[in-house]
Amino acid sequence: MRPGSSELVDALQAGERVYDVQVRLGGRDVSDEVTAWSIDRGSDTSLPEQVATPTGSSAARAQITLAGDGQQTAAARYSPWAPRATADIARPGQSCVVEWGLAQGRMQALRGRVTRIDATSADGTAPLTALDGAERLRGRAWLPPATVSGTGDGARIQVQWVVDHLLRSAGIYTSPPPRDGSIFFASLNGSREANLGMRIDQSGSVGYYPARSPWTAGPAGSSTNPYAPWSATWAPQKRVLSQANQLLVEWWFYREHTGDNPTTQTQLVFADRPATGDSGTRVFTTITMSYNPATRQMRAEVDGGAMTWTLPATVNQAGRFKIAFLVGLTTTSAPVTVRGWLYQPNGNLYASTTYGDATPSWSLLETIRADATGPMECLNVSVVSGTVPVVQPWERGAQVDLIASGGASFGLSYYALRVLPEVTGSVWDTLKQIVADNLGYMWFDEDGLLRVRRYDYINPNFPPPAPDLTVTAAREIADITVGEEIGSVANEIEVGWSGYLQPSAQQSELYNYSSVITLNPGATVELRFDFPGRPWNLRPPMIFAGTAIPSGSSQGSLVKWITSTGARAPVEIELDWSTGWPVIRFTNRGSNPAYSALTTALNTPSLRLAHAEITQPRQQPVGRRNLDSIAKYGIQSLEIGASAWVQNAVWADQIGLALVAWTAWPVPLTGLVDILPDPRIQIGDVVHIIDRTGTRIDGIYRVLGYTVRGTGPQVRMTLDVRPLTRPAQPEDASLTMEPVLDPAVYPPLSG
């Protein structure tokens, strides 16, 4: 619940109700033209309404009627055919901000976009509709085809990462976004999966700890061993050359106090052979960058050489740090250069000197590896040019809380995924499905921030939180209705789950491209592949030498690029998943044509792709029952079908357990509560509702939606609430339950 100004709070407590509203379209105040307005925040859940479990999603809609400015009608000003100087103010896609309150102060109620405008000639009005931030999530959802190779819960992908990734694709961020020119990015928010790139392997058991992370919930050891080492290795989205490039490598880490010393390290490996067994000897260029807060040492290693910078004692601070290294790769005859920066919690920036050592081999970026003894987030590798700022401005547009409380010490199977399912539809629709299937709740608040909460925030099976507001029939409540029905009882619950399995071979499926590709100097070519199934764990091809494609799927995806004379061609390789389908781009950075051929005959193609398969065997649903409820009400079943977002029996069982504990007994359903309008109320607020004489209510409720309607000086507000407490269970004192079958007509038989 928002606090509001002291003048507003005093006026509300005194019962004053002189209402005020402001509407801005395109940043322009049109309040004087508004004759009627309303804001509806409705909730949506995948469970039957009678169950009354407060989970799902909420979206807000504003409806505003404009009458004109006194000289022209609204129809003449805002019709699509009106002059753009006025019509653009209310066009679809234009910004809409609504504030309402009392004369003593207004509060923001909706920030969104106009979706519809109707100019009516009969009365000259122009009703329009605006939606909240959900309108920003109409783009198509996509996820990379990633699977988890590890067997432990700590190796799995958390649903939190999926939600974060989908929001990033729509330009809504929970932590800093990738830099322009990014060739690799891993948010590390609830998973070690890559957003741009593909994970190869990982080691170390981890949990995810918001309190110890710089922004969201980075990976770290257990609560009993917070400095346990962990690592992850990825293929980048784009394999760049070891020359003619300047790479910025950056990440964030956090210190809870000045004695908290998690180490973080990132390593770039350039290689000119894809795997052992190929003709010739593999040659590597390895660049390792790290920071140790305990010694205040920043370190860079290039092959066998190294440079260590000891930072001044002033960097020994608690809080959020960013580390960045600029790697210079000019030619194979000039040294690799590395320079580092440390951005500190107090805003100061330490800059190191430049270190140069070891000329790079002719190679492409093969892997990126992170090693840490604490959470790190937003690991990013970008191709940059010139001088770039170490820290860039960004806007946090969401807070996602889908990590099981307790991190690694509790519930790692909760929200855990073995694969990233294939998705269809919009980002908003996908997020709604994910949240509903995991008993969470999602909504855009009145300030435009998207909030996603886990089930134990909304679910009523925990001790209810302290109320934000108390409303009584004697003062604030104008109308309330309470009902109870047998349909709210579910004492036998089955929860389905999807048991995805991956064969032991990481990349067992091979695909040979049948044509030789010709790539002119400076040109880029795209290949779009339409595999019959989802190509799991497909990575951008690596280069190789020799006159035959190395055998065996363990070699991975490969390609050989040569000039007409047989020399290696400097071609960079990118695999883009942002369309939901694999798109491979080849860019020739040389001065001669390049060919994807095995020999100078230029007639035998060299491109081979390798990927994995998964299966989805049918799994028996997990069941939970409440025998006391069955004895009283008989079997009342609720079946929840298998969801792609529930992928293990432990989590399915927890969902069933949470539901049956709430639905075993009738839940009193409270309809819309008509109260005196209060602009401080928000979705998610906890309200204590008291009506001791009318309906005898005295309970704690969660606000899952509300409607505010205003016409002139009159404003009406109704709340959509779900109970977080319930009355005592039925006792049936001095009552006799008569059977459904009349024993006087059908007496019991001897058997």
Side-chain angles (χ1 to χ4, degrees):
M1 187 172 182
R2 294 176 290 183
S5 66
S6 58
E7 294 81 6
L8 176 62
V9 173
D10 290 343
L12 290 169
Q13 291 177 346
E16 296 184 26
R17 290 297 185 270
V18 180
Y19 297 104
D20 186 30
V21 65
Q22 183 189 74
V23 177
R24 299 194 303 273
L25 300 175
R28 186 172 298 180
D29 189 346
V30 297
S31 305
D32 292 341
E33 302 184 47
V34 175
T35 59
W37 61 277
S38 67
I39 295 175
D40 293 275
R41 292 184 178 272
S43 58
D44 184 18
T45 176
S46 62
L47 296 175
E49 183 180 353
Q50 302 97 316
V51 171
T53 300
T55 63
S57 59
S58 174
R61 179 180 65 176
Q63 292 182 303
I64 301 163
T65 302
L66 302 174
D69 62 356
Q71 298 178 354
Q72 287 183 308
T73 66
R77 286 170 57 80
Y78 303 120
S79 163
W81 297 101
R84 304 319 305 174
T86 56
D88 287 354
I89 296 174
R91 61 172 171 77
Q94 186 57 269
S95 65
C96 176
V97 178
V98 181
E99 298 179 1
W100 74 277
L102 306 184
Q104 291 79 7
R106 296 187 304 265
M107 302 194 75
Q108 201 161 239
L110 179 138
R111 296 184 72 91
R113 296 288 182 266
V114 175
T115 60
R116 181 186 177 107
I117 179 79
D118 293 296
T120 306
S121 63
D123 58 8
T125 62
L128 66 84
T129 302
L131 295 181
D132 65 5
E135 189 63 20
R136 299 173 59 189
L137 301 175
R138 300 302 183 189
R140 189 184 52 76
W142 70 274
L143 293 172
T147 67
V148 174
S149 57
T151 56
D153 289 336
R156 294 179 178 174
I157 302 167
Q158 295 290 309
V159 167
Q160 169 132 337
W161 183 92
V162 178
V163 172
D164 177 90
H165 176 84
L166 290 169
L167 291 174
R168 288 177 181 275
S169 70
I172 298 176
Y173 303 105
T174 62
S175 57
R179 189 181 293 265
D180 290 343
S182 178
I183 62 172
F184 170 81
F185 181 78
S187 69
L188 298 173
N189 181 7
S191 175
R192 285 177 277 184
E193 195 51 62
N195 304 81
L196 301 176
M198 185 67 68
R199 180 192 41 76
I200 297 174
D201 61 34
Q202 55 195 7
S203 66
S205 180
V206 299
Y208 299 94
Y209 299 89
R212 294 169 52 197
S213 300
W215 295 107
T216 53
S222 67
S223 58
T224 57
N225 186 9
Y227 298 108
W230 63 268
S231 70
T233 303
W234 303 273
Q237 174 171 294
K238 185 175 184 178
R239 301 195 187 278
V240 295
L241 292 164
S242 61
Q243 65 272 6
N245 281 297
Q246 185 173 252
L247 302 179
L248 187 66
V249 183
E250 52 194 330
W251 66 89
W252 292 83
F253 68 94
Y254 183 77
R255 299 179 75 195
E256 290 188 276
H257 48 80
T258 55
D260 183 25
N261 295 310
T263 60
T264 53
Q265 174 179 292
T266 300
Q267 184 180 80
L268 308 181
V269 177
F270 290 82
D272 74 340
R273 298 289 188 271
T276 57
D278 186 18
S279 60
T281 303
R282 293 197 86 193
V283 180
F284 298 95
T285 294
T286 302
I287 305 164
T288 306
M289 298 142 285
S290 63
Y291 182 69
N292 185 342
T295 59
R296 307 192 312 278
Q297 288 185 337
M298 181 186 295
R299 183 176 175 84
E301 301 178 32
V302 180
D303 291 339
M307 171 67 81
T308 299
W309 299 274
T310 300
L311 280 59
T314 54
V315 306
N316 187 28
Q317 305 169 28
R320 185 185 297 133
F321 292 80
K322 183 176 185 180
I323 186 86
F325 289 91
L326 185 65
V327 179
L329 302 159
T330 54
T331 70
T332 54
S333 58
V336 176
T337 60
V338 183
R339 186 185 183 194
W341 291 267
L342 182 70
Y343 179 77
Q344 301 150 52
N346 64 3
N348 291 339
L349 184 66
Y350 170 85
S352 77
T353 58
T354 300
Y355 163 66
D357 195 2
T359 59
S361 63
W362 196 103
S363 53
L364 263 65
L365 180 58
E366 183 177 41
T367 59
I368 298 163
R369 177 185 169 100
D371 291 89
T373 60
M376 60 189 296
E377 290 189 69
C378 301
L379 176 56
N380 186 80
V381 181
S382 300
V383 176
V384 297
S385 60
T387 302
V388 295
V390 173
V391 179
Q392 295 179 303
W394 68 286
E395 183 180 63
R396 171 174 274 170
Q399 289 183 345
V400 181
D401 178 19
L402 292 175
I403 295 293
S405 58
S409 64
F410 176 81
L412 274 178
S413 293
Y414 298 1
Y415 305 102
L417 305 174
R418 293 189 60 85
V419 309
L420 295 179
E422 190 165 9
V423 295
T424 58
S426 70
V427 172
W428 175 250
D429 291 336
T430 303
L431 289 174
K432 285 173 58 178
Q433 190 67 51
I434 293 172
V435 170
D437 291 354
N438 285 277
L439 293 189
Y441 203 79
M442 173 179 71
W443 72 99
F444 282 92
D445 70 13
E446 290 76 1
D447 297 321
L449 184 74
L450 177 65
R451 300 179 183 271
V452 186
R453 291 297 185 95
R454 63 180 185 264
Y455 84 104
D456 56 354
Y457 169 77
I458 297 293
N459 196 281
N461 295 325
F462 296 83
D468 300 296
L469 180 70
T470 297
V471 295
T472 68
R475 175 181 163 84
E476 290 88 1
I477 299 176
D479 186 25
I480 188 171
T481 302
V482 182
E484 194 174 47
E485 60 175 291
I486 192 67
S488 67
V489 175
N491 49 36
E492 182 180 74
I493 294 179
E494 286 191 348
V495 181
W497 59 285
S498 299
Y500 292 99
L501 295 176
Q502 179 181 312
S504 58
Q506 269 286 297
Q507 293 181 307
S508 59
E509 302 303 306
L510 302 178
Y511 170 83
N512 292 298
Y513 192 66
S514 59
S515 301
V516 173
I517 307 163
T518 301
L519 191 55
N520 291 324
T524 297
V525 66
E526 287 189 354
L527 297 181
R528 298 176 179 268
F529 293 92
D530 188 5
F531 289 97
R534 194 148 156 83
W536 300 96
N537 286 355
L538 178 64
R539 303 158 195 156
M542 265 300 289
I543 55 173
F544 71 97
T547 57
I549 302 177
S551 61
S553 61
S554 62
Q555 308 282 344
S557 297
L558 304 172
V559 67
K560 179 182 178 181
W561 284 98
I562 60 173
T563 66
S564 59
T565 62
R568 291 175 297 189
V571 175
E572 294 184 330
I573 305 163
E574 181 176 10
L575 175 57
D576 184 2
W577 287 107
S578 61
T579 64
W581 300 87
V583 176
I584 297 181
R585 297 188 185 96
F586 299 107
T587 300
N588 185 357
R589 299 192 64 179
S591 56
N592 297 302
Y595 306 90
S596 62
L598 289 173
T599 66
T600 54
L602 306 181
N603 57 8
T604 307
S606 66
L607 175 59
R608 184 193 71 189
L609 302 180
H611 59 92
E613 276 193 338
I614 64 167
T615 59
Q616 189 180 0
R618 186 182 179 198
Q619 301 288 344
Q620 185 173 353
V622 177
R624 282 286 181 171
R625 308 176 110 201
N626 186 298
L627 297 180
D628 290 340
S629 175
I630 290 174
K632 186 169 188 63
Y633 300 108
I635 294 177
Q636 306 287 333
S637 296
L638 175 62
E639 294 184 13
I640 300 176
S643 166
W645 305 106
V646 179
Q647 295 183 12
N648 66 84
V650 174
W651 180 225
D653 184 56
Q654 183 64 27
I655 291 174
L657 184 64
L659 282 176
V660 78
W662 180 244
T663 60
W665 307 98
V667 179
L669 296 175
T670 302
L672 297 178
V673 182
D674 198 341
I675 70 167
L676 288 176
D678 188 336
R680 298 173 300 169
I681 295 175
Q682 291 181 288
I683 295 286
D685 283 350
V686 176
V687 179
H688 187 187
I689 298 178
I690 301 175
D691 179 14
R692 291 193 173 96
T693 57
T695 57
R696 306 292 291 272
I697 291 178
D698 189 349
I700 304 296
Y701 290 78
R702 180 81 69 181
V703 177
L704 294 190
Y706 61 73
T707 299
V708 187
R709 288 184 168 84
T711 303
Q714 297 182 341
V715 175
R716 181 181 178 186
M717 187 176 195
T718 56
L719 304 182
D720 179 14
V721 297
R722 297 290 187 278
L724 297 180
T725 55
R726 65 169 78 230
Q729 293 183 11
E731 297 178 354
D732 293 343
S734 303
L735 301 177
T736 301
M737 181 72 73
E738 297 193 54
V740 175
L741 188 63
D742 190 343
V745 179
Y746 300 99
L749 302 175
S750 300

